Amino acid sequence: MLFQKVHVFRVKPKQELLSSIASYCREHGITSGIVIGIIGSVEKAKLNFIMELPGKYKSVEYPGPLEIVCAQGSVALKDNSPIIHIHVQLSGQDICRGGHLAEATVFTTAEVVIAELDYQLQRQLDSYTSLNELRQ
Amino acid sequence: MLFQKVHVFRVKPKQELLSSIASYCREHGITSGIVIGIIGSVEKAKLNFIMELPGKYKSVEYPGPLEIVCAQGSVALKDNSPIIHIHVQLSGQDICRGGHLAEATVFTTAEVVIAELDYQLQRQLDSYTSLNELRQ
Amino acid sequence: MLFQKVHVFRVKPKQELLSSIASYCREHGITSGIVIGIIGSVEKAKLNFIMELPGKYKSVEYPGPLEIVCAQGSVALKDNSPIIHIHVQLSGQDICRGGHLAEATVFTTAEVVIAELDYQLQRQLDSYTSLNELRQ
């Protein structure tokens, strides 16, 4: 597996981060890749935290502005549909939390780096976790 | 130096994260690489924090479930033995801490990305820090 | 866009992290790249947090030692001058904060990974944010 193309792009103020990344991937035909990083800031964000198995999440909303300190994740296919799975770290001077990115509205910018792979990453439902896990 | 091969793999529930990564590297002959990222969740984890010099650490155990927000690090050799050095960021809705990954038990998944290098990273004991530091 | 050369280097104790990275980039002719990661520890650090628009930051100093859990960012040019934009996550056992890296003094080490790009990243002043944003 190799990084075959690196995409660096900006998501602008007031845009929703996750759907903007999904749009970018759709427009550029990216179905398999690694989210190398995201930095910037959000005016608000919603993170999911796993609570118990099978896959039960709690969503928490955070008012901003908060820094996007970093993010990691991937783009993969499940049954031919793309799944963008990103964890993001947010911080202000008074609070610092990270988790599964459910949604976030960009404040100043989000500088996104995605490296496309020359191999198709796939997800499938895992009966133990009830989540869409990487297939190996 | 180039990224010559990218490895994307899942560490499954109940597995110890650091030793699972070490096993993967051993099986795939990886002795030099960059840990590009890890996301997932842990049911518990132990992190080390540097306290003073020469190299004195404090270990703290964290009960989960906690999100693995992100991780970075490397695989290198010291005297022909592999050293996997990873820092990891963990978060729940009530706590957020990151540090040197000592050990962690996977809760739902850990999606690991390692990019192999075409150049051998090496570590050596540093007399000032008393730690195994990257050799240049 | 491709990663054309990967740089892995150590910034040593007592060195200022951001200016050391700038020096490395200058010496190696890096004007366009992605900061893939930084791990290590700092004896102190100053982070900036965005407060309001147009671009108004608050700087906060953190005494260490603190772990450098991770970092992400880029090297780009604005009007032929390099801009190194890095967000960093710091943590001890009692505090965890991340933000825009203004300055930091290395405690034990900082292991920096930068992947050079074969395409020139550019920044320009954005009239809405009053910040130097990635040009697309």
Side-chain angles (χ1 to χ4, degrees):
Chain A
M1 221 184 307
L2 288 170
F3 292 140
Q4 64 174 4
K5 192 171 176 185
V6 181
H7 298 261
V8 182
F9 59 98
R10 179 188 181 202
V11 180
K12 292 192 173 172
K14 304 290 177 193
Q15 303 299 304
E16 197 286 305
L17 181 58
L18 192 57
S19 58
S20 297
I21 294 172
S23 295
Y24 183 94
C25 288
R26 205 161 40 237
E27 285 163 21
H28 292 78
I30 306 171
T31 62
S32 185
I34 301 303
V35 178
I36 300 283
I38 308 175
I39 68 174
S41 60
V42 294
E43 64 175 50
K44 63 180 178 180
K46 189 160 78 177
L47 302 182
N48 291 346
F49 299 97
I50 189 83
M51 301 306 284
E52 55 185 86
L53 288 176
K56 200 175 191 175
Y57 277 92
K58 180 170 182 188
S59 286
V60 182
E61 295 199 27
Y62 296 94
L66 292 168
E67 302 289 317
I68 303 172
V69 183
C70 61
Q72 294 179 345
S74 64
V75 183
L77 287 181
K78 187 204 169 196
D79 301 334
N80 292 318
S81 294
I83 292 182
I84 300 176
H85 182 206
I86 294 176
H87 282 199
V88 65
Q89 179 67 30
L90 305 174
S91 183
Q93 58 178 322
D94 298 321
I95 189 172
C96 189
R97 291 291 183 271
H100 179 102
L101 175 62
E103 59 181 60
T105 305
V106 171
F107 186 53
T108 55
T109 197
E111 301 178 354
V112 182
V113 182
I114 296 177
E116 265 191 278
L117 289 167
D118 63 351
Y119 170 90
Q120 183 59 58
L121 292 180
Q122 307 259 11
R123 290 189 178 277
Q124 63 187 358
L125 189 65
D126 180 292
S127 58
Y128 176 74
T129 66
S130 285
L131 300 169
N132 292 317
E133 306 291 0
L134 274 183
R135 196 160 84 187
Q136 289 189 289
Chain B
M1 220 183 308
L2 288 171
F3 292 139
Q4 65 174 4
K5 192 171 177 185
V6 182
H7 299 261
V8 182
F9 59 98
R10 179 188 181 203
V11 180
K12 292 192 172 170
K14 305 289 177 193
Q15 302 299 304
E16 197 286 305
L17 181 58
L18 192 57
S19 59
S20 296
I21 294 172
S23 294
Y24 183 95
C25 288
R26 204 162 40 237
E27 285 163 21
H28 291 77
I30 304 172
T31 62
S32 185
I34 301 301
V35 178
I36 300 284
I38 309 175
I39 67 173
S41 61
V42 293
E43 65 175 49
K44 62 179 177 178
K46 188 161 78 177
L47 302 182
N48 290 347
F49 300 96
I50 188 83
M51 301 307 284
E52 56 185 87
L53 288 176
K56 201 176 191 175
Y57 277 93
K58 181 170 181 187
S59 286
V60 181
E61 295 199 26
Y62 296 93
L66 292 168
E67 303 289 318
I68 303 172
V69 184
C70 61
Q72 295 180 345
S74 64
V75 183
L77 287 181
K78 186 204 169 196
D79 302 335
N80 292 318
S81 294
I83 293 182
I84 300 177
H85 182 206
I86 294 176
H87 282 199
V88 65
Q89 180 66 31
L90 305 173
S91 184
Q93 58 178 322
D94 298 321
I95 189 173
C96 189
R97 291 290 183 273
H100 179 103
L101 175 63
E103 60 181 60
T105 306
V106 172
F107 186 53
T108 55
T109 197
E111 302 179 351
V112 182
V113 182
I114 296 177
E116 265 190 278
L117 289 167
D118 63 350
Y119 170 91
Q120 183 59 58
L121 292 180
Q122 306 260 10
R123 290 189 179 277
Q124 63 187 358
L125 189 65
D126 180 293
S127 58
Y128 177 73
T129 66
S130 286
L131 301 169
N132 292 318
E133 305 292 359
L134 274 183
R135 196 160 84 188
Q136 290 189 288
Chain C
M1 220 183 310
L2 288 170
F3 292 139
Q4 65 174 4
K5 192 171 177 186
V6 181
H7 298 261
V8 181
F9 59 98
R10 180 189 181 202
V11 180
K12 292 191 172 171
K14 305 290 177 192
Q15 303 299 302
E16 197 287 305
L17 181 58
L18 192 58
S19 59
S20 297
I21 294 172
S23 295
Y24 183 95
C25 288
R26 206 161 40 236
E27 284 162 21
H28 292 77
I30 305 171
T31 63
S32 184
I34 301 302
V35 178
I36 300 284
I38 308 174
I39 67 173
S41 61
V42 293
E43 65 175 49
K44 62 179 177 178
K46 188 160 78 178
L47 302 181
N48 290 346
F49 300 97
I50 189 82
M51 301 306 283
E52 56 185 85
L53 288 176
K56 200 177 192 173
Y57 276 93
K58 181 169 180 186
S59 285
V60 182
E61 296 200 24
Y62 296 93
L66 292 168
E67 302 289 316
I68 302 172
V69 183
C70 61
Q72 294 180 344
S74 64
V75 183
L77 287 181
K78 187 204 168 195
D79 301 335
N80 292 316
S81 294
I83 292 183
I84 300 176
H85 182 206
I86 294 176
H87 282 199
V88 65
Q89 179 67 31
L90 305 173
S91 183
Q93 58 179 322
D94 297 321
I95 189 173
C96 190
R97 291 291 183 272
H100 178 103
L101 175 62
E103 59 182 61
T105 306
V106 172
F107 186 53
T108 56
T109 198
E111 301 178 354
V112 182
V113 182
I114 296 177
E116 267 191 277
L117 290 167
D118 63 351
Y119 170 91
Q120 183 59 57
L121 293 180
Q122 307 260 11
R123 290 190 179 276
Q124 63 187 358
L125 189 64
D126 180 293
S127 57
Y128 177 73
T129 67
S130 286
L131 300 169
N132 293 318
E133 307 291 359
L134 274 183
R135 195 159 84 189
Q136 289 188 289

